[in-house]
């Protein structure tokens, strides 16, 4: 994942989720696409096929049989806070990030770390912190520490910034959820 304020993003990912009640972490792979004003599309490839589309108003999930489930966020304040925080991180907008998080930055050129502590009560009840690790202008790792002790680590592979002219190539992934 690259610094991409105002741009879109495409990246493959490998994820490890450590769930406190499970002996072994869960592993998955897939790809994600972020387009401003459209949201975040996340396609899981292994261990099973699944698509998730996260927008400012809903979370849509489609399984490998094409069944779609939609969770509207207007009546789910915790989910809405979590989605807003997640979309803010992917937006690359420093102003928006500072509105939602206390920001801690450490640099040992060319590597850097960015720590984000949620400012809003709803989000801080779910997420204790988010850590981004990168090199130069590229984000390589995303760590999400939940208040229940679960930790999700995404490693981004072959990230590409998507300039506005490339968005049409990816819009199809965003149209099924509406």
């Amino acid at each position: 994942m690259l610094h991409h304020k105002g741009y879109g993003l495409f990246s493959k990912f490998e994820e490890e989720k450590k769930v406190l009640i499970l002996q072994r972490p869960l592993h998955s792979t897939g790809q994600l696409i972020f387009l401003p004003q459209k949201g975040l599309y996340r396609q899981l490839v292994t261990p099973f096929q699944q698509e998730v589309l996260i927008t400012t108003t809903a979370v849509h999930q489609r399984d490998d049989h094409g069944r779609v489930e939609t969770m509207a966020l207007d009546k789910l304040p915790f989910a809405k806070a979590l989605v807003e925080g997640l979309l803010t991180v992917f937006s690359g907008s420093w102003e928006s990030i500072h509105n939602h998080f206390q920001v801690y930055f450490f640099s040992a050129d060319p590597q850097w770390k960015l720590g984000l502590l949620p400012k809003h009560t709803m989000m801080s009840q779910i997420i204790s912190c988010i850590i981004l690790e990168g090199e130069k202008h590229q984000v390589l790792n995303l760590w999400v520490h939940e208040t229940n002790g679960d930790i999700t680590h995404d490693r981004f592979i072959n990230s590409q910034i998507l300039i506005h002219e490339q968005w049409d190539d990816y819009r199809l992934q965003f149209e099924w959820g509406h």
Side-chain angles (χ1 to χ4, degrees):
M1 195 163 77
L2 302 166
H3 172 72
H4 60 278
K5 182 179 178 183
Y7 295 101
L9 171 76
F10 171 84
S11 185
K12 293 187 181 282
F13 68 86
E14 294 176 353
E15 182 174 276
E16 178 180 273
K17 183 166 181 88
K18 294 179 182 173
V19 180
L20 228 65
I21 62 170
L22 299 178
Q23 280 189 315
R24 293 192 189 108
L26 303 172
H27 293 274
S28 59
T29 63
Q31 64 182 11
L32 59 86
I33 303 164
F34 173 79
L35 293 180
Q37 287 86 47
K38 290 286 186 182
L40 179 67
Y41 169 81
R42 187 175 189 270
Q43 180 183 32
L44 200 61
V45 177
T46 63
F48 54 87
Q49 300 277 323
Q50 180 190 58
E51 296 170 279
V52 176
L53 177 58
I54 301 170
T55 69
T56 56
T57 59
V59 175
H60 310 276
Q61 185 173 305
R62 180 165 60 180
D63 66 19
D64 58 349
H65 300 294
R67 289 187 297 256
V68 176
E69 291 182 32
T70 299
M71 179 177 68
L73 298 174
D74 56 350
K75 293 185 173 85
L76 301 166
F78 284 101
K80 184 173 177 68
L82 188 60
V83 164
E84 283 178 4
L86 186 63
L87 292 176
T88 293
V89 169
F90 279 93
S91 77
S93 164
W94 277 109
E95 181 182 338
S96 187
I97 288 172
H98 279 282
N99 285 338
H100 285 85
F101 299 97
Q102 290 178 10
V103 178
Y104 299 89
F105 184 73
F106 172 78
S107 178
D109 203 26
Q111 285 90 18
W112 53 267
K113 284 187 181 186
L114 183 67
L116 305 173
L117 297 177
K119 285 184 178 178
H120 303 293
T121 306
M122 291 283 186
M123 195 185 334
S124 67
Q125 290 180 26
I126 302 166
I127 303 292
S128 56
C129 74
I130 296 173
I131 300 168
L132 297 159
E133 297 175 333
E135 193 170 290
K136 297 182 182 175
H137 297 291
Q138 189 169 12
V139 177
L140 302 173
N141 295 287
L142 169 70
W143 301 81
V144 178
H145 293 255
E146 298 175 37
T147 55
N148 65 5
D150 295 353
I151 299 171
T152 303
H153 172 218
D154 285 332
R155 189 167 69 86
F156 298 109
I157 305 155
N158 300 327
S159 299
Q160 304 167 36
I161 287 179
L162 302 175
I163 59 172
H164 194 268
E165 291 76 20
Q166 295 172 297
W167 292 3
D168 283 344
D169 298 340
Y170 296 93
R171 285 186 200 250
L172 188 61
Q173 282 89 350
F174 292 86
E175 292 175 0
W176 59 270
H178 303 282

